Amino acid sequence: MASGSQYEFGSYCLDVPGGTLFRGGKRVPLSPKSAELLVALVEAAGRVLTREQLLLQVWPGVVIEEGSLSSHISTLRKSLGTAPNGQDFIETLPKRGYRFAADVKRARLNVPGGGMDRAMLVVLPFENLTAGDRYDYFSDGLTEEMITELACLSPEHLGVIARTSAMQFKSTSKSVKQIGRDLGVSYVVEGSVRRAGERLRITVQLIRVSDESHLWAQNYERELHDVLEVQAEVARAVAREIQIKLTPHEKQRLDTDKTRSINPQAYELYLRGRHFWYRRTEEGMRKSIECFEQALRYQPDFAAAYDGISDAHTMLACRGMTPAVESFPKAKSAARHAVKLQPELGEGFASLAHVRLHDWDWVGLESDFQRAAELAPGYAVAHYWYAEYLMAMDRTVEAIERVQYAWELDPLNSVINASMGMIRYLAHDYDGALVDLRRGLEIDPTHYVSHLRVGLVCLQKNLLNEALDAMRQAVTHSGGGTEALAGLAQAYGVAGDKVTMRKIMQELAASGHRHVSPYNIARVYGAIDDKQRALEWLERAYWEHNPDLIELTREPSFASLRSDAKFRELTKQVGWT
């Protein structure tokens, strides 16, 4: 078979140029290497490919561990399920290799997005041409702002890859075609920025992935306060070149952005704040709040700065770095300021919905999530937050669909992959959760949350050795974090080693200044069916207003508690009827 086509097998459609797989028109999450492996197998359907042939084709010039190919084959099998005849799509021939066993035919449709009626685009990190790397925060911030602008163009016809996945290609040596395959995109925007005081020189170009042709390029010489005008002009040019028809509302929004100026000091402080926020550390969060508050001194009506303050306070509480009762009122107030100042700011509605979710402020909550999705369709994390709400409401199918959409926008984000795994874990789809979590670990093997969640899933599958190993990895990569230690204690408890479990619990009790989530301790006792202690710690979690209690009715470790009157009363107090 010749590459550059689409192939159908069973209920699947495989788009070779984009390296993307669809089932029933919906994208199936695959890591880039798993996608390349599937392409190789499908293009050789019916023929045996040896291990050596597959390694040479998928990992050219790279020495990989012996079990890596087998692991990817196993992941693909789980993602694909069984063929209509009940057999595996991928057949193993001992001592020979692998063969794609299903009937394969050329797809009849060849539309952008591999069966979806919209094109996909990525904005690569803008190159910082200013001397030194101390202005990287500015070029990275400009990249994020450009992503946000383009994502609002026409979401029905254009999907834009989110910031975290785009940033994986900072200073990359990969070709446009390789990037297109890794992300499943049809178009690439790349550019550079050079600063001289408050004077900017911005260069932007649009490239089509299929033939690497440059469709459009432009240089802009502007003052810093005119940066929003540049973003609007680029958005219009991209829409024109890829033939996206803008609605009157979209045109009006771009016209508004084009005429709106911004205080240069406020804008720079805002970009610094977001730079610190993305570090996801307590120090980074606190520095980001300082930057956002300073930005407001220069421009008191800067809605995005209020949105940043809200996100930082919410993150501090959700990570257990500050008490929720202290942080959530600040987060809510800031988010409400943001949407009041700029009612079309989708990120503001997303921030408001996020803090309201974890604050158990249920009335009218979904309308905030819906407004955020409407106004900021490319904001991947907002779709995950919405999925959390849907899972809390026991709307499992909708939750999985929503987090799947978040993944499509940000496929190389280990946090989004871990989030998908958590949603499937709460849906009790443990096999699916493992696929998502292991894909995330391919992207970032040091992401402790992914290891922790692999451990939780393995406990439910009674894979005790795998669970213990995953929890140990979580402890290592978190630097001995209390959440990971509680997970390790849980694994030892379920494995029957109560002595080691109690030793870790004593270590947590003696943590001193470190915050230990009572919800995580409750999960340890729930997993070993110690109902009394589990309920005691859940009561503490309630009085602490623990954000994780939104998972209470879905967490499998609490299954034995659900018939208990105290547990039912607790769920009512949190907000379930």
Side-chain angles (χ1 to χ4, degrees):
M1 296 179 183
S3 62
S5 304
Q6 294 179 355
Y7 301 108
E8 292 177 348
F9 51 90
S11 58
Y12 293 96
C13 178
L14 175 64
D15 176 56
V16 174
T20 47
L21 180 68
F22 298 90
R23 181 175 185 176
K26 294 184 178 180
R27 188 171 175 180
V28 177
L30 293 177
S31 70
K33 284 301 177 186
S34 293
E36 288 183 45
L37 181 60
L38 180 60
V39 168
L41 290 164
V42 168
E43 291 193 326
R47 293 189 289 113
V48 177
L49 292 178
T50 66
R51 293 177 59 86
E52 291 73 20
Q53 288 174 318
L54 286 170
L55 291 172
L56 183 63
Q57 187 167 342
V58 181
W59 290 274
V62 178
V63 178
I64 66 170
E65 295 181 5
E66 181 69 22
S68 187
L69 176 60
S70 300
S71 176
H72 278 82
I73 292 288
S74 176
T75 297
L76 277 177
R77 284 188 173 129
K78 289 175 180 176
S79 296
L80 293 169
T82 56
N85 62 5
Q87 302 298 312
D88 285 339
F89 282 97
I90 302 171
E91 181 182 3
T92 301
L93 290 87
K95 299 183 180 181
R96 294 179 62 194
Y98 300 95
R99 177 171 60 197
F100 198 79
D103 291 332
V104 175
K105 61 182 180 180
R106 291 279 183 92
R108 297 173 184 173
L109 298 177
N110 188 18
V111 298
M116 302 165 66
D117 63 349
R118 63 176 187 162
M120 293 296 292
L121 175 147
V122 62
V123 180
L124 296 182
F126 274 55
E127 185 180 2
N128 171 27
L129 298 182
T130 310
D133 59 4
R134 68 189 185 96
Y135 283 109
D136 275 0
Y137 76 89
F138 188 86
S139 56
D140 290 351
L142 184 60
T143 304
E144 181 179 4
E145 294 294 290
M146 198 69 74
I147 289 170
T148 300
E149 187 74 76
L150 290 169
C152 293
L153 269 182
S154 181
E156 298 83 4
H157 303 103
L158 179 68
V160 180
I161 296 296
R163 176 193 186 278
T164 308
S165 289
M167 285 297 171
Q168 300 289 328
F169 298 93
K170 188 171 183 176
S171 304
T172 185
S173 60
K174 287 190 173 185
S175 69
V176 167
K177 281 192 175 180
Q178 287 175 311
I179 294 169
R181 172 164 288 190
D182 285 352
L183 293 172
V185 298
S186 305
Y187 300 95
V188 169
V189 171
E190 63 179 19
S192 63
V193 58
R194 187 188 300 275
R195 270 191 76 173
E198 294 185 6
R199 188 74 179 168
L200 300 176
R201 179 180 173 82
I202 300 173
T203 300
V204 190
Q205 55 187 343
L206 174 68
I207 305 169
R208 183 166 52 210
V209 170
S210 60
D211 57 3
E212 299 189 66
S213 61
H214 289 66
L215 301 179
W216 167 82
Q218 184 67 50
N219 293 324
Y220 299 91
E221 297 275 359
R222 294 287 196 278
E223 296 293 329
L224 182 55
H225 61 76
D226 292 326
V227 69
L228 299 180
E229 178 184 350
V230 174
Q231 294 167 16
E233 288 184 18
V234 171
R236 279 188 179 274
V238 169
R240 180 181 64 249
E241 293 300 329
I242 61 181
Q243 299 181 352
I244 291 177
K245 186 176 181 180
L246 300 178
T247 67
H249 172 74
E250 290 157 355
K251 291 178 181 177
Q252 182 181 9
R253 183 184 59 79
L254 289 175
D255 288 340
T256 301
D257 285 348
K258 188 172 180 179
T259 58
R260 192 168 67 213
S261 64
I262 190 167
N263 180 281
Q265 289 86 359
Y267 185 70
E268 186 160 0
L269 284 162
Y270 170 74
L271 294 186
R272 282 183 183 272
R274 279 300 178 190
H275 173 75
F276 287 124
W277 187 84
Y278 277 113
R279 292 182 180 178
R280 297 293 204 276
T281 63
E282 182 172 359
E283 181 185 13
M285 295 297 158
R286 295 192 184 282
K287 282 186 175 180
S288 76
I289 293 171
E290 290 177 10
C291 289
F292 296 138
E293 289 178 342
Q294 289 176 39
L296 289 170
R297 295 191 189 107
Y298 286 100
Q299 186 164 335
D301 63 347
F302 194 0
Y306 278 111
D307 177 51
I309 291 171
S310 177
D311 284 343
H313 280 299
T314 302
M315 186 67 71
L316 284 170
C318 287
R319 289 291 175 88
M321 299 166 183
T322 59
V325 291
E326 173 187 313
S327 290
F328 282 167
K330 296 175 183 177
K332 274 189 185 182
S333 175
R336 288 196 167 113
H337 272 295
V339 299
K340 182 179 180 180
L341 288 167
Q342 193 174 336
E344 72 276 16
L345 184 67
E347 291 82 358
F349 279 99
S351 299
L352 179 59
H354 188 213
V355 65
R356 288 188 62 204
L357 169 66
H358 287 289
D359 200 33
W360 321 328
D361 184 2
W362 305 105
V363 177
L365 175 55
E366 187 167 14
S367 64
D368 283 345
F369 278 118
Q370 291 170 339
R371 188 66 174 147
E374 176 188 348
L375 293 171
Y379 192 30
V381 72
H383 293 286
Y384 167 61
W385 294 339
Y386 193 179
E388 285 187 306
Y389 166 79
L390 293 168
M391 183 57 68
M393 295 295 102
D394 207 26
R395 291 156 61 180
T396 304
V397 174
E398 293 175 77
I400 291 173
E401 289 177 348
R402 182 63 60 169
V403 76
Q404 167 89 15
Y405 186 73
W407 177 85
E408 289 174 6
L409 294 170
D410 208 357
L412 301 186
N413 186 341
S414 59
V415 175
I416 290 291
N417 281 276
S419 300
M420 283 187 70
M422 191 61 180
I423 290 293
R424 292 192 192 276
Y425 167 77
L426 294 173
H428 306 167
D429 174 13
Y430 304 125
D431 289 336
L434 278 182
V435 170
D436 295 333
L437 293 166
R438 285 170 175 163
R439 184 177 58 248
L441 286 170
E442 284 184 41
I443 298 166
D444 182 4
T446 69
H447 188 226
Y448 88 88
V449 174
S450 294
H451 287 291
L452 172 68
R453 291 174 178 174
V454 166
L456 293 174
V457 172
C458 286
L459 287 178
Q460 296 304 316
K461 289 174 64 65
N462 202 34
L463 301 173
L464 301 182
N465 289 334
E466 290 90 336
L468 284 165
D469 181 63
M471 293 301 191
R472 292 187 192 106
Q473 292 277 357
V475 171
T476 298
H477 292 299
S478 69
T482 60
E483 181 182 20
L485 283 169
L488 183 59
Q490 181 176 340
Y492 275 115
V494 173
D497 187 350
K498 301 292 178 62
V499 173
T500 305
M501 182 201 83
R502 292 191 186 97
K503 181 179 178 182
I504 297 172
M505 298 293 272
Q506 289 169 359
E507 180 182 345
L508 288 169
S511 292
H513 68 282
R514 293 199 302 168
H515 179 266
V516 180
S517 166
Y519 181 87
N520 293 333
I521 301 300
R523 191 161 58 190
V524 175
Y525 289 120
I528 62 171
D529 206 23
D530 187 336
K531 296 180 182 179
Q532 181 178 342
R533 284 198 175 103
L535 286 167
E536 288 173 359
W537 282 96
L538 283 175
E539 284 285 346
R540 293 191 195 186
Y542 172 77
W543 290 113
E544 190 181 282
H545 214 92
N546 191 284
D548 292 324
L549 283 174
I550 64 167
E551 301 170 357
L552 185 60
T553 63
R554 299 297 311 180
E555 168 57 54
S557 299
F558 300 138
S560 64
L561 302 179
R562 294 200 173 105
S563 60
D564 188 281
K566 288 185 179 179
F567 184 86
R568 293 198 301 271
E569 181 60 28
L570 183 62
T571 61
K572 288 180 181 178
Q573 290 174 318
V574 174
W576 287 282
T577 56

